[in-house]
Amino acid sequence: MAVAKEMMGCSSFVSSSKVFLNSTYGFQQKQNRFLFVKPVWVPMEQKRRVHLRKAAKVPVVAAISEDLIKAEAKAVPAQKEKAVEFKVTATITIRNKNKEDFKETLVKHFDAFTDMIGRNVVLELISTEEDPKTMAPKRSKEAVLKDWSKKANVKAEKVYYTAEFTVGSNFGVPGAITVTNKHQKEFFLESITIEDFAYGPLHFPCNSWVQSNKHHPRKRIFFTNQPYLPDQTPKGLRALREKELDDLRGNGKGVRKLSDRVYDFDVYNDLGNPDKGIDYARPMLGGEKVPYPRRCRTGRGPSETDMEAESRVEKPLPIYVPRDEQFEESKQNAFSAGRLRAVLHNLLPQLKASISAHNRDLNSFSDIDGLYKEGLLLKLGFHETVKKLPKMVSKLQESSEGLLKYETPKVVSKDKFAWLRDDEFGRQALAGVNPVNIERLASFPPVSMLDPEIYGPQESALKEEHIAGQLNGMTVQQALDENKLFMVDYHDIYLPFLDRINALDGRKSYATRTIFFLTPSGTLKPVAIELSLPHTSPNSRSKRVVTPPVDATTNWIWQLAKAHVCSNDAGVHQLVNHWLRTHACMEPFILAAHRQLSAMHPIFKLLDPHMRYTLEINALARQSLICADGVIENCFTPGRYCMEMSAAAYRSHWRFDKEGLPADLIRRGIAVPDPTQPHGLKLLIEDYPYASDGLLIWNALENWVRTYVNRYYPNSSLVCNDRELQQWYHESVHVGHADLSKESWWPSLKTTDDLVSILTTLIWLASAQHAALNFGQYPYGGYVPNRPPLMRRLIPDENDLEYANFLADPQKYFLSALPSLLQATKFMAVVDTLSTHSPDEEYLGERQHPSIWSGDAEIIEAFYGFSAEIRRIEKEIEKRNADPNLKNRCGAGVLPYELLAPSSGPGVTCRGVPNSVSI
């Protein structure tokens, strides 16, 4: 505690009788409530120590310096106090842009000129107290930012300015600052710090773009770092608190400008572009017909051919998100560099495809290897053709060879053939990029939950004889009883779409089920794969079971079956587990937080780092990834039905109360409650890296959140009576998730335990869950045969015409079933970008301004404790990865499981847990 107080300028305070005083803002904890204490006007001793008196006996005056007190004593008779004016200095930190275009530079110089003639940046300090005469907040005289014109050409990342406020000695404690930008150009205001008050510096975290008042005439409001529950807001700040929230909510009308800061909800009616033709039309997601979470409203008008479809904004034009949600410059540069790499990676395959007028298949595994070793040019046999292309392209090949090559994915960096082995196939279900679908098999054979009238018999084609010889001498019932059988089941999510998917050009898929046996060494062994097609008639053969191979032919059939399973897995991973569960379902909670929780609210301060960049990356996804003819439709098996499949999963499978890690593990039968275990759970697969590492992080998050919540809500009545908190949760559920809002499984928000559970789940989803599902995409999926995102051929049987071709050249058939070269490189380029950490990433346990993000010293101290626990967890994960008994993360050629190791450097690292869904 002493460390945090010293860092926050509160070492001058004395605590007595175990009373906690918030050093900067005069809060004292009494009977589990925070009561505002009037600041004390007293002389400052040489050691600058302020002695506290009882609040009831303290006059309402400000704490100022000793010199000012002496001046006051000389100027005013002791029997009659009269307020005198004095000056306090503010340091304003403004972040520069590293690169400016010509127009920005011109406007900057124009602003520097007009600043000298009075068009300044103007600030006003606002007290937490009201003026008893006007009943309005006490305000300082307006202050002007100094030396703007002199520092116009400073190239530093951050530029520091000053301003002097004039306030009265009875001003009280400052609680807010208003900022008016009379320039033409916006600027990024990072923070404001005010010195010269006896109780230490005042910190105003801003981190916001301040627009010109020419376009946004209302003053910007920034509050100090002191957290206040709504009912505890000082009188001088109450109206400002409401005004700021009103500005952020907007009125729900009109087209949003890129400079706006308005947060509002809308349905997903912007994924299609019917104006380009019927092939580009897509159904609206959100509403009774197709339930889906809500996204950020842009207010754009309808398309010309469909009044329910919002008009499109295509690249490179920007799509609206509130101004402060847009990528900061370093993040934008990293993202743009990723896009450039994607363009370069695909340049030559696209040229080859256009020149040769066909979409070239992969002819051999060496074609794939060449993408990483020799670059694209030579492997495509393109060195002659390139001579016919513009000089720019040939020069690009010569000068940018490295950019035209891919990094070798980690999955084949240690063992080139690991992906072919069954044990690696099973290991990736526990420690790969999608470790969240494995479930315990409770009964055999599994049964479908789909309507048999529509989709045929619910019974599986799996029989005991298919797996009996693979169970290490156990019977099927023994294996069930001893929790040795597990399953990855994609039958019910794929089957309703298979007719439409398989009618698409170049797309073929099954609805798969894979049965695994847990071996004595703790690894998973696949023992059967069920492949299902739509039930077309009572006598149709729609289900097929493939078992481990016994000869050359069955080996290739087994490899094709595993490839189809991986293709199913890649689709569910991307459309459901990654996009839906961590991106789309988080967005309503983020929108509602900005609309309903003041920046002063302690829960907003807790959630703030876990909401960074999510609205921007989701908007970019709508623009180019999940839209009609976007990357996802082009690269994944479901094609144009990708988002409909995502919506079907939302309707039938998504439940917020099961999104926390312990609840999810129990739902999947992977864990059972056990109070004797450290996390209250016993894993039925002990060597399950995602779950075992995840529980460490979950437990640390839950403890941190509980400490934080208990600090501000010592009893549950405060939770119930917090109108902002209740409005946030109500809007998140009833507006943001309106289509499922009537479901009985939504958690209530009545107690501190309810709040801890909800917040821990949200932070888990934004940080660790997203990291586990995102940053392994290129390390595991960058080698396309390991996880093909789409398949182009079904598995032939003896009655098929293609069976002879399969027997004659099974490798060629296998490669022809994988994505084409152009599809593969396009997919690789995208997942390379998505797997990349940017240089400005903030990881779990980190925050901007870690010592002053909150004005509560006790919370700062608790946050440092949380950070230390995260570092301890990282060391424990390193220790586990070196344990030879844990064969799913340690062994010859086995990748260590680092996707939940909290820290990372920039780039594709296959590790690191950022605070938020930022890519």
Side-chain angles (χ1 to χ4, degrees):
M1 179 68 73
V3 174
K5 285 186 176 182
E6 186 66 34
M7 296 184 73
M8 298 171 62
C10 30
S11 59
S12 59
F13 278 27
V14 175
S15 295
S16 62
S17 303
K18 297 184 179 179
V19 174
F20 171 84
L21 178 76
N22 179 289
S23 59
T24 309
Y25 299 95
F27 269 87
Q28 115 176 7
Q29 189 178 21
K30 183 178 181 182
Q31 295 177 348
N32 291 328
R33 296 299 301 270
F34 291 91
L35 305 175
F36 187 71
V37 180
K38 303 290 187 181
V40 187
W41 181 21
V42 294
M44 298 180 63
E45 305 298 338
Q46 289 182 351
K47 293 183 179 179
R48 298 181 63 84
R49 179 168 296 176
V50 177
H51 296 275
L52 302 178
R53 303 174 186 172
K54 293 183 179 179
K57 298 179 180 180
V58 174
V60 185
V61 287
I64 58 177
S65 72
E66 184 176 0
D67 292 340
L68 286 168
I69 293 169
K70 290 177 180 177
E72 168 72 356
K74 293 177 182 178
V76 182
Q79 67 273 16
K80 184 179 180 181
E81 291 186 358
K82 182 180 177 181
V84 295
E85 292 185 341
F86 63 98
K87 292 184 177 181
V88 292
T89 302
T91 300
I92 298 96
T93 304
I94 291 177
R95 191 181 305 163
N96 265 342
K97 290 185 70 175
N98 291 323
K99 295 180 180 179
E100 294 177 333
D101 59 30
F102 177 75
K103 181 180 178 182
E104 288 175 323
T105 303
L106 196 64
V107 173
K108 181 178 75 173
H109 288 299
F110 180 75
D111 283 341
F113 172 75
T114 57
D115 188 83
M116 292 188 291
I117 59 173
R119 294 195 61 81
N120 315 107
V121 175
V122 180
L123 300 90
E124 190 176 27
L125 196 59
I126 299 174
S127 174
T128 56
E129 298 180 7
E130 287 183 339
D131 187 320
K133 295 180 180 178
T134 64
M135 302 306 292
K138 295 177 183 178
R139 295 174 180 265
S140 71
K141 295 180 180 179
E142 289 188 343
V144 173
L145 210 63
K146 295 181 179 180
D147 298 330
W148 184 281
S149 58
K150 291 181 180 179
K151 297 182 178 181
N153 293 317
V154 173
K155 301 298 183 183
E157 180 185 0
K158 297 178 182 180
V159 183
Y160 301 94
Y161 299 89
T162 59
E164 281 189 350
F165 294 101
T166 301
V167 298
S169 56
N170 63 350
F171 184 76
V173 179
I177 288 179
T178 64
V179 180
T180 303
N181 177 13
K182 295 183 180 180
H183 295 163
Q184 297 291 311
K185 188 171 179 281
E186 67 176 5
F187 61 84
F188 188 84
L189 179 58
E190 184 172 287
S191 64
I192 301 173
T193 301
I194 298 180
E195 307 286 348
D196 301 326
F197 285 96
Y199 38 76
L202 295 170
H203 299 289
F204 295 76
C206 304
N207 294 309
S208 181
W209 289 96
V210 180
Q211 304 298 323
S212 168
N213 70 338
K214 178 180 178 181
H215 305 294
H216 295 267
R218 303 184 75 168
K219 295 180 179 180
R220 286 297 310 276
I221 304 166
F222 297 100
F223 299 104
T224 65
N225 60 355
Q226 176 60 46
Y228 295 102
L229 294 178
D231 290 343
Q232 297 167 357
T233 309
K235 289 183 179 180
L237 303 181
R238 289 176 186 172
L240 290 176
R241 184 172 187 146
E242 291 301 322
K243 179 180 180 295
E244 176 69 356
L245 286 174
D246 285 342
D247 288 347
L248 292 169
R249 293 183 194 120
N251 59 11
K253 299 177 182 178
V255 180
R256 299 268 63 90
K257 303 190 297 288
L258 292 175
S259 59
D260 285 347
R261 296 171 56 247
V262 175
Y263 297 77
D264 206 352
F265 298 91
D266 208 344
V267 294
Y268 281 73
N269 62 347
D270 63 340
L271 301 182
N273 191 352
D275 293 346
K276 289 179 67 175
I278 189 65
D279 288 342
Y280 294 89
R282 296 293 181 270
M284 181 178 75
L285 305 185
E288 288 187 14
K289 289 184 179 179
V290 188
Y292 212 63
R294 299 301 187 260
R295 49 92 174 179
C296 183
R297 178 185 178 275
T298 68
R300 296 195 305 269
S303 66
E304 294 180 3
T305 54
D306 185 349
M307 293 301 293
E308 289 190 352
E310 186 172 276
S311 55
R312 291 278 300 168
V313 173
E314 304 291 357
K315 293 184 301 182
L317 296 176
I319 187 170
Y320 172 77
V321 294
R323 182 65 181 98
D324 291 340
E325 303 302 318
Q326 295 171 28
F327 289 162
E328 294 178 16
E329 191 173 14
S330 60
K331 174 73 171 181
Q332 183 61 56
N333 290 341
F335 193 77
S336 297
R339 280 184 165 176
L340 175 62
R341 285 199 309 274
V343 170
L344 292 173
H345 283 152
N346 284 291
L347 175 63
L348 295 174
Q350 286 174 341
L351 290 171
K352 175 67 178 179
S354 62
I355 290 172
S356 60
H358 72 277
N359 202 355
R360 189 171 180 270
D361 289 341
L362 295 164
N363 286 327
S364 66
F365 285 104
S366 61
D367 275 356
I368 301 171
D369 296 340
L371 298 177
Y372 316 113
K373 292 182 178 179
E374 300 172 48
L376 295 174
L377 189 65
L378 298 178
K379 269 301 161 191
L380 287 168
F382 203 40
H383 47 286
E384 291 298 325
T385 313
V386 82
K387 296 176 183 177
K388 305 174 186 177
L389 296 174
K391 270 189 176 179
M392 183 186 73
V393 176
S394 57
K395 289 291 184 186
L396 183 66
Q397 165 63 20
E398 294 169 11
S399 61
S400 305
E401 183 72 23
L403 286 173
L404 294 171
K405 291 162 65 176
Y406 292 87
E407 295 293 327
T408 302
K410 284 197 172 186
V411 72
V412 289
S413 63
K414 289 187 173 183
D415 184 347
K416 183 177 177 180
F417 303 106
W419 67 278
L420 287 165
R421 298 199 312 267
D422 286 357
D423 63 288
E424 177 64 14
F425 179 72
R427 189 191 74 83
Q428 289 186 31
L430 300 172
V433 71
N434 188 39
V436 298
N437 281 104
I438 188 77
E439 58 183 295
R440 181 173 60 86
L441 192 59
S443 60
F444 188 89
V447 177
S448 170
M449 302 302 292
L450 297 174
D451 185 348
E453 295 294 323
I454 301 174
Y455 300 108
Q458 294 177 315
E459 292 75 21
S460 168
L462 287 161
K463 306 295 182 186
E464 288 199 17
E465 54 264 29
H466 288 130
I467 66 172
Q470 304 283 333
L471 305 183
N472 206 32
M474 291 184 177
T475 65
V476 171
Q477 191 58 49
Q478 283 177 321
L480 289 171
D481 293 342
E482 295 186 25
N483 299 319
K484 298 295 185 183
L485 289 180
F486 296 85
M487 174 174 64
V488 173
D489 186 358
Y490 298 130
H491 179 276
D492 286 6
I493 192 168
Y494 268 89
L495 195 66
F497 293 91
L498 281 187
D499 275 331
R500 288 176 285 171
I501 290 172
N502 289 338
L504 295 172
D505 184 33
R507 305 293 169 97
K508 289 293 182 281
S509 182
Y510 298 97
T512 67
R513 286 192 184 105
T514 307
I515 308 299
F516 294 93
F517 174 70
L518 182 62
T519 69
S521 64
T523 61
L524 289 180
K525 178 175 74 172
V527 294
I529 296 172
E530 182 181 26
L531 307 169
S532 296
L533 292 170
H535 182 75
T536 55
S537 67
N539 298 320
S540 65
R541 184 170 177 260
S542 59
K543 299 178 188 294
R544 175 178 182 178
V545 175
V546 180
T547 54
V550 294
D551 55 33
T553 301
T554 55
N555 177 70
W556 280 105
I557 290 174
W558 180 245
Q559 295 298 340
L560 280 165
K562 289 195 296 181
H564 273 283
V565 170
C566 289
S567 176
N568 271 194
D569 188 76
V572 171
H573 162 259
Q574 196 66 264
L575 303 172
V576 181
N577 297 330
H578 180 209
W579 166 256
L580 173 66
R581 294 173 64 184
T582 66
H583 283 260
C585 287
M586 277 294 295
E587 187 157 348
F589 291 96
I590 294 171
L591 289 170
H594 286 282
R595 289 166 53 83
Q596 303 298 341
L597 296 176
S598 166
M600 290 189 284
H601 200 291
I603 300 306
F604 184 89
K605 290 181 179 294
L606 174 68
L607 290 176
D608 187 36
H610 305 291
M611 303 188 290
R612 187 182 189 219
Y613 293 151
T614 303
L615 297 186
E616 169 83 340
I617 197 65
N618 285 4
L620 291 171
R622 299 200 316 273
Q623 188 178 40
S624 60
L625 292 183
I626 63 173
C627 58
D629 199 37
V631 172
I632 299 299
E633 288 192 0
N634 281 315
C635 291
F636 289 86
T637 295
R640 63 176 295 150
Y641 306 109
C642 279
M643 292 308 293
E644 289 181 62
M645 182 178 288
S646 179
Y650 178 68
R651 182 203 294 262
S652 61
H653 290 93
W654 187 82
R655 288 181 52 162
F656 182 76
D657 64 325
K658 302 298 183 184
E659 287 298 284
L661 179 60
D664 178 54
L665 294 173
I666 292 170
R667 170 176 61 177
R668 292 190 280 124
I670 296 292
V672 292
D674 185 346
T676 66
Q677 297 295 316
H679 311 293
L681 292 178
K682 178 184 178 182
L683 291 174
L684 300 184
I685 304 176
E686 291 184 14
D687 184 12
Y688 184 1
Y690 160 78
S692 56
D693 292 0
L695 285 171
L696 292 176
I697 292 179
W698 173 272
N699 194 53
L701 286 174
E702 188 176 47
N703 288 339
W704 157 237
V705 172
R706 189 175 302 281
T707 299
Y708 193 95
V709 167
N710 288 341
R711 174 74 173 143
Y712 300 103
Y713 300 94
N715 60 72
S716 294
S717 65
L718 292 172
V719 173
C720 294
N721 295 326
D722 185 337
R723 62 184 183 279
E724 285 185 9
L725 184 72
Q726 294 296 332
Q727 287 166 357
W728 163 68
Y729 188 58
H730 183 272
E731 188 171 70
S732 298
V733 174
H734 292 275
V735 180
H737 288 278
D739 307 326
L740 299 182
S741 62
K742 296 180 181 178
E743 297 293 339
S744 60
W745 43 254
W746 280 103
S748 60
L749 180 52
K750 296 179 180 177
T751 68
T752 53
D753 284 343
D754 294 340
L755 182 56
V756 168
S757 176
I758 291 166
L759 294 174
T760 305
T761 297
L762 290 173
I763 295 172
W764 161 260
L765 291 171
S767 58
Q769 181 77 329
H770 178 258
L773 294 167
N774 184 74
F775 293 104
Q777 290 191 81
Y778 185 79
Y780 280 97
Y783 189 76
V784 170
N786 181 59
R787 284 178 62 78
L790 64 83
M791 294 293 285
R792 296 187 294 154
R793 290 191 176 191
L794 298 175
I795 303 174
D797 61 28
E798 295 177 1
N799 299 319
D800 292 333
L801 295 176
E802 289 188 319
Y803 192 72
N805 294 330
F806 164 71
L807 289 179
D809 194 341
Q811 176 177 293
K812 182 178 181 181
Y813 189 93
F814 180 87
L815 290 170
S816 71
L818 299 180
S820 69
L821 177 62
L822 186 55
Q823 288 170 326
T825 55
K826 190 171 187 176
F827 170 75
M828 290 161 63
V830 171
V831 295
D832 179 46
T833 301
L834 296 180
S835 303
T836 300
H837 290 293
S838 66
D840 72 335
E841 202 83 86
E842 292 176 9
Y843 298 93
L844 207 59
E846 299 176 352
R847 285 193 72 135
Q848 290 184 7
H849 314 298
S851 64
I852 59 169
W853 62 269
S854 172
D856 188 334
E858 188 167 306
I859 285 301
I860 295 295
E861 192 79 6
F863 180 73
Y864 285 135
F866 168 65
S867 299
E869 177 62 14
I870 293 298
R871 291 193 296 271
R872 189 197 67 77
I873 288 171
E874 182 151 358
K875 291 180 180 178
E876 174 62 22
I877 290 173
E878 291 173 2
K879 181 180 175 183
R880 290 175 176 182
N881 284 330
D883 185 348
N885 295 315
L886 301 177
K887 300 187 183 302
N888 291 315
R889 61 197 307 160
C890 182
V894 174
L895 286 185
Y897 188 72
E898 296 180 312
L899 286 169
L900 289 175
S903 70
S904 174
V908 180
T909 63
C910 201
R911 61 175 293 142
V913 181
N915 278 323
S916 63
V917 179
S918 58
I919 188 67

